[in-house]
């Protein structure tokens, strides 16, 4: 009678151990993200592949990766990134992250561009990317979406 219990316990433990899904976790790109142009082939190695992997418990899809890369390539984001790195002498960097996902009451992905300033995560830009690929800047103070053209005009 003891042997079936031991076998059952062994099977349960084996099932629990095999359920860990560490391979689907991925580091969210930050400073070490170097945008790769679409012209590059799959054979070419991405520069971030040589960097050490950071542990995270955030699951991110390749689609979300591409959305963050899209925002990361915007000139305003690149300018701010360089400014922060220069002013902090390379100690601080911008990071892109998915701040919200499509759901029943919203159809867009929210992408935040932030800096960990040592005390808090300071968000500089909030963008929204809709299913049709349109990118909007979200002005939290005015609680309104602006097209990139409207946002750039307003900044001047």
């Amino acid at each position: 009678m003891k042997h079936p219990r031991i076998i059952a316990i062994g099977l349960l433990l084996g099932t629990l151990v095999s359920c860990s899904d560490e391979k689907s976790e991925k580091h969210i790109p930050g400073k070490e993200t170097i945008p790769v142009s679409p012209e590059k082939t799959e054979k070419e190695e991405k520069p971030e592949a040589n960097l050490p992997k950071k542990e995270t418990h955030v699951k991110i899809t390749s689609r979300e990766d591409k959305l963050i890369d899209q925002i990361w390539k915007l000139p305003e984001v690149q300018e701010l990134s360089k400014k922060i790195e220069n002013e902090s002498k390379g100690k601080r960097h911008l990071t892109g992250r998915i701040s919200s996902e499509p759901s029943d009451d919203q159809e867009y992905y929210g992408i935040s561009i932030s800096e960990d300033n040592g005390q808090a995560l300071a968000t500089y830009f909030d963008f929204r990317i809709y299913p049709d690929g349109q990118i909007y800047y979200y002005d939290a103070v005015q609680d309104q979406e602006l097209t990139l053209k409207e946002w750039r005009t307003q900044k001047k």
Side-chain angles (χ1 to χ4, degrees):
M1 222 23 168
K2 289 184 181 180
H3 295 293
R5 286 184 185 169
I6 292 172
I7 292 172
I9 290 171
L11 288 173
L12 284 173
L13 287 174
T15 303
L16 288 174
V17 170
S18 68
C19 286
S20 74
D21 192 16
E22 295 174 15
K23 292 179 182 171
S24 65
E25 295 178 356
K26 185 172 182 180
H27 171 66
I28 296 177
K31 179 218 181 235
E32 64 274 359
T33 299
I34 301 169
V36 177
S37 65
E39 298 84 37
K40 297 213 178 215
T41 65
E42 289 182 12
K43 291 182 182 178
E44 291 181 283
E45 190 175 300
K46 286 186 176 183
E48 63 264 22
N50 295 329
L51 298 171
K53 298 290 181 192
K54 293 184 181 177
E55 274 193 49
T56 182
H57 296 286
V58 176
K59 293 181 181 178
I60 188 166
T61 66
S62 62
R63 170 152 173 74
E64 291 166 345
D65 234 356
K66 289 175 184 173
L67 295 173
I68 292 170
D69 283 346
Q70 246 184 301
I71 297 301
W72 195 253
K73 291 176 185 177
L74 294 174
E76 294 84 357
V77 174
Q78 290 295 310
E79 286 174 25
L80 182 61
S81 177
K82 287 176 188 171
K83 180 181 176 188
I84 288 172
E85 287 181 31
N86 288 338
E87 289 177 359
S88 71
K89 296 183 171 106
K91 293 181 182 177
R92 294 192 180 152
H93 314 283
L94 286 182
T95 248
R97 66 181 175 88
I98 302 291
S99 56
S100 63
E101 298 177 341
S103 64
D104 290 341
D105 56 344
Q106 83 176 30
E107 58 181 313
Y108 57 83
Y109 275 93
I111 313 287
S112 294
I113 302 297
S114 309
E115 170 200 5
D116 183 351
N117 64 19
Q119 296 179 359
L121 192 62
T123 299
Y124 290 96
F125 302 121
D126 278 316
F127 295 96
R128 294 175 174 176
I129 301 181
Y130 283 83
D132 64 359
Q134 289 292 319
I135 300 174
Y136 291 86
Y137 170 79
Y138 176 67
D139 183 338
V141 174
Q142 299 294 323
D143 189 29
Q144 68 178 358
E145 284 183 354
L146 301 168
T147 65
L148 292 179
K149 185 177 180 179
E150 291 169 335
W151 175 53
R152 289 170 175 149
T153 302
Q154 188 183 58
K155 288 188 323 170
K156 291 182 182 180

